[in-house]
Amino acid sequence: MAKLVFGMNLSLDGYVDHEEFAPGPALFRHWIEHVRGLTGSVYGRRMYEIMSYFDEDHPEWTPELHEFAAAWRNQPKWVVSRSLNSVGPNATLIADDVEAAIGGLKRELAGEISVSGPELAQNLTGLIDEYRLYLHPVVLGRGKPFFAGPRPRLRLVASDLMDEDTMRLTYVPA
């Protein structure tokens, strides 16, 4: 049975915004290895559209960005959307009965499946096995909250310093 994990970079005040802050080299290396080790990822439409940037190489990329893109392209992706008609390479569209479809993936696969996107995570709260909050020393005061809906009761199981500024807090449902 696969483990469903929701983890994202977020500000100290709980917002996710990839345009306001970025991981440093050590944390980016962590993300490359994390993506390489995944069984696959489940995306909401908005997060998938952001991440599909990695479907094609860009001349300005560093070697690390090329490495991340290769890992991202290699993994299976499931995209939850009622508005998209198609998705890119190595991706499957899920338009209906999302909870049943994701529950089926958990039962059928082994390893770790990443959930990407706060609104999607809100809809999958009962299926998520672990929450990983990558706290950056930034205060945004606005934006998309990590917890987009009702906050699940959680229990802290680990805390790790990921680089000189970023702490990962790992929680499981209480």
Side-chain angles (χ1 to χ4, degrees):
M1 177 173 241
K3 176 168 45 169
L4 202 58
V5 175
F6 174 49
M8 293 185 77
N9 294 304
L10 70 152
S11 66
L12 288 176
D13 53 348
Y15 295 104
V16 297
D17 189 335
H18 73 284
E19 294 178 355
E20 293 290 333
F21 57 91
L27 184 55
F28 194 68
R29 169 60 45 201
H30 163 78
W31 284 115
I32 293 169
E33 298 306 323
H34 171 74
V35 170
R36 274 192 185 134
L38 290 172
T39 296
S41 291
V42 180
Y43 290 94
R45 180 192 54 82
R46 281 185 283 280
M47 187 58 69
Y48 176 73
E49 288 174 341
I50 290 168
M51 294 300 293
S52 66
Y53 167 77
F54 292 104
D55 274 337
E56 296 180 23
D57 287 341
H58 297 266
E60 71 278 8
W61 280 1
T62 63
E64 292 79 15
L65 284 169
H66 282 286
E67 201 175 347
F68 180 86
W72 189 80
R73 290 174 193 158
N74 191 46
Q75 70 169 246
K77 293 167 272 301
W78 298 274
V79 182
V80 175
S81 175
R82 288 186 179 86
S83 60
L84 292 176
N85 294 319
S86 64
V87 290
N90 211 11
T92 302
L93 185 61
I94 298 174
D96 297 309
D97 210 359
V98 174
E99 199 169 315
I102 304 305
L105 291 173
K106 278 185 69 170
R107 285 187 302 279
E108 295 165 14
L109 300 173
E112 196 170 282
I113 300 172
S114 175
V115 174
S116 296
E119 291 176 11
L120 175 60
Q122 171 190 345
N123 294 323
L124 298 176
T125 298
L127 294 174
I128 294 176
D129 300 298
E130 193 170 284
Y131 293 83
R132 296 181 188 154
L133 289 72
Y134 292 80
L135 290 171
H136 291 255
V138 176
V139 176
L140 298 179
R142 58 166 173 64
K144 176 82 62 188
F146 181 88
F147 289 103
R151 279 103 178 133
R153 289 191 39 81
L154 301 173
R155 180 174 51 85
L156 180 68
V157 294
S159 61
D160 304 286
L161 187 61
M162 301 305 292
D163 63 18
E164 63 278 355
D165 293 326
T166 307
M167 176 69 73
R168 177 181 61 194
L169 301 174
T170 304
Y171 293 89
V172 295

